[in-house]
Amino acid sequence: MEVNNTKYKHQGIHVIASIFTIDKGILKVLLIKRKNKPFQGSWALTGGALYNDEDLEDGLRREIYEKTGLKNIELKLSNVFGKKDRSPVMRMVAITYIGMVDITKVKITTNTLKTSDAIWCPINEIPLLAYDHNEIIKDAITNLKELVLETNILKVFFPQGFTLPELQKIYEEILGKKLDRRNFRKKIISSKNIISTEQEENFEGKKKAKIYKFIEG
Amino acid sequence: MEVNNTKYKHQGIHVIASIFTIDKGILKVLLIKRKNKPFQGSWALTGGALYNDEDLEDGLRREIYEKTGLKNIELKLSNVFGKKDRSPVMRMVAITYIGMVDITKVKITTNTLKTSDAIWCPINEIPLLAYDHNEIIKDAITNLKELVLETNILKVFFPQGFTLPELQKIYEEILGKKLDRRNFRKKIISSKNIISTEQEENFEGKKKAKIYKFIEG
DNA sequence: GCAAAAGTGTTAGGAGTACACCCATGC
DNA sequence: GCATGGGTGTACTCCTAACACTTTTGC
């Protein structure tokens, strides 16, 4: 391994996050406007070049913090994007992650050293993005659908518990289809990761709904 | 993106393959002995540093060819390993893949510019390897079990078709457990990717067994 | 004829899906 | 009292898993 071999000199790693939220029932992804070259002025996903002294997720957390002010996001590995020409500056391989945040509990910094704006963009209104970020988001949405079914990724919305109708709305928005209420209840209630409480709460209807909670983990 | 920023100077990408085979009924992985530093003289998985002018899989195919002589292997993405200290030379992120070859149809070059030996090593006899390759293999074996159930990865053993008992033996070896013969038949025969032929063949028993084939794709 | 392996069918449980009516509440 | 949304049960299908006897053939 020769550090200066020109065949693999000037390579780097992008760590990139598709950070999603549900805003008034709509699935949105966090985009930032780039202040610097390349793709100056373009919209892009959060993320950037990994430093040598940090692990992948730590580097991604740093990038997310620098570009949006967001902290403490749970991240799930999504995929790898490594086409040789995906960056115009130098050879970069992208490791992509998925995150989910509650838009009502975070404040996005819209102007940083590296960004001049930030928006939550509905996933069917995504503009042309920097690099291969359009492809990355599309892939992330596919993987997000699996994560919703197989992990507790939606827990972030419900630290105090949730009613089944409100959880179902989020499922339906992310999966892009309507679900049967009775079957949804059966599935959720029989899940090992979810318990019912004695509390009730109004959601959209007139009748109160029972509150359920995600268990730790 | 400044190419010479010291924070991310001297980074690279490892593309690494856990290449498996079934040899006399035993699941084995291909290991090479390194001729060069770092880890000179250590056993390791096949793979190496990606060049700037090649896509990830192309780079991996080149590395596999250079270190073993193997060509035309089907590769499946397995995982990403990116701990900051996983390489002693410089910061390397590893993209790992899984491959499967028919040991009876390939010849491994045991002495190359970069290797001084190569062995097919039973997966429960794996020695201490270079880098984090032990961890990579362990993870690859986990992912291989899913690939066997969900893809045609075993097709490589049976270009002319297979009998159900011989396919079942391979399933059992890879999954590490015995399967019920009747249930296995039902599952395989009902698979869309497999068709039966009119031929029969002796496998281990005295009675002839019907031959099945994987369909294209 | 017997050993060795191939071939075969039924049952039970769990998961998913489809589907219609009553309940509580606010107005 | 009626509109709105919450809560509930049953039947069908499909998949998985458990389980034992018969058939073919080489010796």
Side-chain angles (χ1 to χ4, degrees), chain A residues 165 181-182 185-186 205-210:
Chain A
R181 202 160 7 125
R182 286 159 292 193
R185 297 182 71 81
K186 253 184 294 182
K206 308 291 170 62
K207 185 172 172 180
K208 287 195 172 63
K210 281 188 207 153

Side-chain angles (χ1 to χ4, degrees), chain A residues 115-127:
Chain A
T115 68
S116 62
D117 202 356
I119 52 164
W120 287 105
C121 179
I123 59 159
N124 51 13
E125 298 173 16
I126 294 170

Side-chain angles (χ1 to χ4, degrees), chain A residues 19-34:
Chain A
I19 300 177
F20 295 99
T21 197
I22 303 286
D23 180 20
K24 302 183 186 70
I26 306 292
L27 180 60
K28 297 183 176 179
V29 65
L30 183 58
L31 301 178
I32 54 96
K33 184 171 268 185
R34 292 175 58 89

Side-chain angles (χ1 to χ4, degrees), chain A residues 186-202:
Chain A
K186 253 184 294 182
K187 183 186 170 74
I188 298 298
I189 292 171
S190 69
S191 155
K192 284 181 308 187
N193 302 319
I194 290 170
I195 53 167
S196 82
T197 71
E198 293 308 306
Q199 301 157 274
E200 294 193 324
E201 194 178 62
N202 268 338

Side-chain angles (χ1 to χ4, degrees), chain B residues 29-35 38-46 110 115-121 125-134 137:
Chain B
V29 65
L30 184 57
L31 301 179
I32 55 93
K33 184 172 270 187
R34 292 176 60 87
K35 205 177 249 182
F39 298 104
Q40 193 171 32
S42 287
W43 291 103
L45 288 171
T46 358
T110 53
T115 67
S116 61
D117 202 358
I119 52 165
W120 288 104
C121 180
E125 298 173 14
I126 295 170
L128 183 64
L129 303 178
Y131 298 98
D132 48 2
H133 289 193
N134 289 89
I137 290 184

Side-chain angles (χ1 to χ4, degrees), chain B residues 5-70:
Chain B
N5 187 322
T6 54
K7 284 180 177 165
Y8 42 78
K9 204 175 171 184
H10 299 318
Q11 294 184 346
I13 294 104
H14 274 145
V15 279
I16 297 175
S18 298
I19 300 176
F20 295 99
T21 196
I22 303 284
D23 180 21
K24 303 184 187 69
I26 307 290
L27 179 61
K28 296 182 178 179
V29 65
L30 184 57
L31 301 179
I32 55 93
K33 184 172 270 187
R34 292 176 60 87
K35 205 177 249 182
N36 303 321
K37 293 180 181 175
F39 298 104
Q40 193 171 32
S42 287
W43 291 103
L45 288 171
T46 358
L50 180 72
Y51 291 168
N52 288 325
D53 63 351
E54 57 192 6
D55 286 341
L56 288 166
E57 278 199 26
D58 294 338
L60 180 53
R61 283 175 208 287
R62 174 188 51 73
E63 282 286 341
I64 291 170
Y65 182 69
E66 287 176 7
K67 289 184 173 158
T68 69
L70 283 175

